Structure formats: structure tokens, C-alpha cells
Amino acid sequence: MFRRFGVLMALAGISAAAHAASTTVAGFDGGSNDGFTGNAVFEASGGNPGGAARHAGDFFFNELRTGGIGEPANPGFLGDYSSFTNIEFSVDVKTNLLNDFIGNPIARPIGVMLIDHDIQGPSGPSGVYADLGILGVQFTPDWTTLSVTIADPTSSTLPSGWIGFGDEDPVTFEPILPAGATFASVLASVDEFRITGATPGFFFTNAFWDVQIDNISVVVPEPASLAMLSLGLLGCLRRR
């Protein structure tokens, strides 16, 4: 009886710990910046729902970031992701206007960028980037959720669709990770997190923006080690 109760309590503890660390959302409610900064204003209304960040003006690209040196930080998006699997980053977007300098509607990318300041390259800190989707009145005129999932943050190679940066290939001049950095090393030490249109290796002209951003989220399932432990405890319970 004692062992059965102990196993049940252990399972309950594992479940509570995993659930407590599962989701972080920057919803900008009440006009709060939720630890982010960038070329946006934080408004108390107009979001999905509640508040939202709004990029309105003449910009090359949109950007919201947390954890930059000397800047606000939201710890829920930073740190070591290496013990988790199937990590999902998502954001809600709405394009009210996105035009070129003569007033024609255009499209621009938006993606997630993870940066490790510990390993520096000739072009700056090591980091990885993945497109989330496309902004534009043709693509996101209403609130739309865009997301990307990292199945294995311990992979030494870049997953399909991801770009490394911090250095550049001497032949192609395309961005690459600097020496000593891998996808795994960045995910094990995320110092800065960005939702940005600054795709590494690409250059953009200025544009006229009115784009809203809301519910920047990271969903982290329970660590693989906890999942294996809970399965083992369940097996022990069944054998009893």
C-alpha cells in the first residue's frame, strides 16, 4: 500500500512540475511590454484579445525581442531547451497595411530567432532562425496564428528550414554558424529571443507598416527524462 501511494504521489509531482513549466505567453494585455522591446508600441486594446504590439511606421522589417544586452528580458523564452522535445513557438499576427514606397501592397517574412551570446563569430553572436510565415494584406488580413516546432533541440545539425548565423560562408557568403556553435549549443543557451522579419542573409528596402502582433508563445512539453520516469513508475504500479 505504501509503495502504491508513493508511486502515485511521485506521478502527481511529475505531472505538476511538467504542467507548471509548459507554456509562456506574452499577450501585451493592458499595454504591457511583457519583457519585449523593438520597433513597436504596446497598446491596451485591439489584440487577440486584449492588448497587442503594433508596428506602425516606416521600417525595413518588424522586430520584437527579449533578452538583448541591456534590454528587458522575459525569462520564459530564455535558457536551456535541451532537455525538451517538440518545442512549439507561435505568434498571432494581423496585417492592416504593408506597402512599398509607392503604395503597392507587398509581403514580408516573419520568423523566430534564437541567439546565444556565449559563442561569438565574425558577424556577431551565434544564432538560428526559422520562418514562421508571410505578412501581408493578401496573407494575414485577419488574426492568424503562425508557428514552428523543434522536434529535437539536441540535434547537432540544423533542421530543415532553419538558418544559422554569426559567420558567413567564404564562397557563397551565405550566413552560417560560427566555429564551435551548433543548433544544439544555441538551444542549450538561448540568451535572446526575437520575433523578426530580419531573415539572415536577406536585405530589405523600407516599407510602410501597420501590423499587429499578439500572443507570442512557447509551449514546452515535459522533459523526455520525466516522461520516461513516469512510464517507469506506471510500469512499477501495474506490476504491484
Side-chain angles (χ1 to χ4, degrees), residues 4-234:
R4 185 182 183 89
F5 179 75
V7 169
L8 288 172
M9 290 299 292
L11 284 170
I14 289 170
S15 176
H19 178 74
S22 63
T23 304
T24 299
V25 180
F28 311 117
D29 292 335
S32 169
N33 65 19
D34 284 346
F36 280 79
T37 189
N39 56 358
V41 294
F42 300 96
E43 300 178 332
S45 61
N48 189 36
R54 189 169 200 155
H55 303 281
D58 183 359
F59 308 124
F60 289 99
F61 51 82
N62 67 293
E63 183 161 283
L64 287 167
R65 59 188 181 271
T66 184
I69 296 173
E71 295 184 336
N74 185 325
F77 294 90
L78 310 174
D80 182 359
Y81 286 94
S82 62
S83 61
F84 303 96
T85 59
N86 298 315
I87 304 157
E88 182 183 68
F89 297 102
S90 66
V91 62
D92 294 347
V93 301
K94 182 175 182 284
T95 305
N96 302 309
L97 179 143
L98 183 52
N99 290 347
D100 64 15
F101 69 98
I102 58 174
N104 295 317
I106 59 174
R108 288 291 172 87
I110 183 171
V112 59
M113 183 178 286
L114 310 173
I115 299 172
D116 174 17
H117 289 282
D118 296 328
I119 300 179
Q120 296 281 328
S123 304
S126 58
V128 294
Y129 170 94
D131 276 331
L132 292 168
I134 300 294
L135 298 175
V137 292
Q138 314 96 311
F139 302 97
T140 54
D142 302 309
W143 282 110
T144 304
T145 300
L146 306 174
S147 66
V148 65
T149 299
I150 298 174
D152 180 11
T154 65
S155 172
S156 59
T157 58
L158 290 167
S160 176
W162 285 81
I163 301 170
F165 60 89
D167 200 352
E168 67 177 28
D169 186 289
V171 177
T172 66
F173 303 106
E174 293 181 350
I176 58 174
L177 284 165
T182 64
F183 185 75
S185 72
V186 174
L187 268 292
S189 182
V190 176
D191 297 314
E192 185 176 346
F193 172 92
R194 299 180 184 179
I195 295 293
T196 180
T199 308
F202 289 80
F203 298 92
F204 301 97
T205 58
N206 64 310
F208 296 100
W209 295 72
D210 184 358
V211 173
Q212 292 169 278
I213 304 289
D214 200 5
N215 300 322
I216 301 175
S217 305
V218 55
V219 178
V220 181
E222 69 180 45
S225 57
L226 280 180
M228 292 302 294
L229 178 58
S230 63
L231 287 173
L233 288 171
L234 280 172

